[in-house]
């Protein structure tokens, strides 16, 4: 929503894209989660060393 209370689809799209984890990280994360689950661990956060950005891993709902 903008300052007048109306929806702002352009800003909403930009924020969603900024918060989205890059494809190469999502692909690696699925493999890491599979391995970690075999040993009884959960991956909660993941950090990109190149950019320094941290991403919170969403909980899986297919348990």
């Amino acid at each position: 929503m903008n300052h007048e209370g109306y929806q702002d689809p352009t800003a909403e799209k930009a924020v969603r894209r900024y918060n989205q984890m890059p494809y190469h990280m999502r692909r690696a994360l699925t493999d890491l989660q599979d391995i970690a689950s075999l040993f009884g661990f959960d991956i909660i956060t993941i950090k990109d060393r190149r950019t320094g950005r941290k991403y919170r891993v969403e909980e899986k709902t297919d348990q």
Side-chain angles (χ1 to χ4, degrees):
M1 301 270 182
N2 64 12
H3 67 282
E4 295 175 345
Y6 294 105
Q7 288 186 343
D8 190 353
T10 305
E12 182 180 336
K13 188 175 182 180
V15 169
R16 191 177 325 119
R17 287 183 115 186
Y18 179 77
N19 290 330
Q20 186 177 9
M21 186 183 301
Y23 176 75
H24 72 280
M25 288 182 68
R26 281 188 314 218
R27 195 174 71 196
L29 179 62
T30 57
D31 293 337
L32 291 171
Q33 285 176 328
D34 290 343
I35 294 168
S37 68
L38 290 173
F39 294 97
F41 296 106
D42 291 326
I43 297 175
I44 299 171
T45 60
I46 188 167
K47 179 181 176 184
D48 187 351
R49 281 196 260 170
R50 186 174 52 93
T51 63
R53 290 204 48 208
K54 293 181 183 177
Y55 298 93
R56 183 157 174 81
V57 177
E58 310 235 345
E59 296 288 328
K60 287 186 178 181
T61 57
D62 59 344
Q63 293 181 2

